[in-house]
Amino acid sequence: MSTRTLAVVSAGLSVPSSTRLLADRLAQASAEALAALGLEAGVEVVELRGHARDLADNLVTGFPNTALRTAVDTVAGADALIAVTPIFSASYSGLFKTFFDVLGKEALTGKPVLMGATAGTARHSLALEHAMRPLFAYLRAVVAPTAVFAASEDWAGGDATSAALSDRIRRAAGELAALVAQRPRAAVADPFADPTPFETLLAGL
């Protein structure tokens, strides 16, 4: 069975968080959808909360430290991306945006992406379409048609509400799996192929 790698970026700020919970469910459903197509999925999670200081340092130095570089390479080298953020003030979180600011401009070109978001109420759901989708369009990713939003009521709204969320997750995961199956496996990046020039490193000191 051929293997595909799913990178999961979660921008939740608490431990545990509803953002990570949604990310895990999307990853599991996507792996199951890939398995139904004869593809094995390897899941690699990038929890942005643990890289908050690394991201701030990257903004002022111009290059990532070892831990952040590993996270960036995980996303850049994956066959598909599942990206989930909490919604604040009608948009993605600053932590989420900062990560994609430091990600290479070509890192997501042509890469299948499944979007997810969480918030306290359903009125924030439009942020997926007016904030997140334009971001990934700018990065030239191939975004699954269905995005998944989960409000607080989706986790504790009874069987009907939970079933509706599960249906959205399965539909979105199926779309992502179909996009992944249409593409060749991502090439493994050579970390020494494009080294940062020494002069650039010195300029950041």
Side-chain angles (χ1 to χ4, degrees):
M1 182 179 288
S2 183
T3 302
R4 297 292 188 272
T5 302
L6 301 177
V8 181
V9 171
S10 171
L13 299 181
S14 60
V15 178
S17 69
S18 59
T19 301
R20 177 60 188 271
L21 177 59
L22 178 59
D24 288 343
R25 290 190 59 181
L26 289 170
Q28 180 180 357
S30 297
E32 292 172 353
L34 283 169
L37 297 175
L39 298 172
E40 183 177 356
V43 177
E44 299 184 15
V45 179
V46 175
E47 188 73 71
L48 295 186
R49 181 179 183 275
H51 294 290
R53 186 179 297 275
D54 300 334
L55 287 165
D57 289 343
N58 192 140
L59 291 178
V60 297
T61 63
F63 57 91
N65 62 19
T66 302
L68 183 56
R69 168 54 63 188
T70 298
V72 167
D73 289 346
T74 294
V75 172
D79 293 287
L81 169 65
I82 297 171
V84 188
T85 179
I87 300 298
F88 299 124
S89 301
S91 189
Y92 36 64
S93 72
L95 186 63
F96 183 86
K97 179 59 163 59
T98 301
F99 179 75
F100 290 100
D101 283 343
V102 305
L103 195 66
K105 291 184 178 179
E106 305 296 325
L108 297 185
T109 299
K111 192 183 300 294
V113 173
L114 171 53
M115 305 185 307
T118 60
T121 63
R123 67 190 179 93
H124 295 288
S125 61
L126 287 178
L128 281 161
E129 301 303 327
H130 71 66
M132 289 185 72
R133 197 174 293 275
L135 169 65
F136 290 115
Y138 173 79
L139 295 172
R140 292 183 288 179
V142 180
V143 185
T146 299
V148 180
F149 179 85
S152 298
E153 63 193 41
D154 289 311
W155 305 113
D159 293 341
T161 305
S162 298
L165 176 60
S166 297
D167 288 343
R168 295 198 302 273
I169 289 173
R170 281 193 295 269
R171 182 169 66 250
E175 293 170 355
L176 182 69
L179 291 172
V180 172
Q182 295 169 7
R183 292 166 43 86
R185 185 176 179 181
V188 178
D190 181 354
F192 303 104
D194 187 22
T196 302
F198 188 62
E199 295 80 3
T200 301
L201 296 176
L202 288 177
L205 297 178

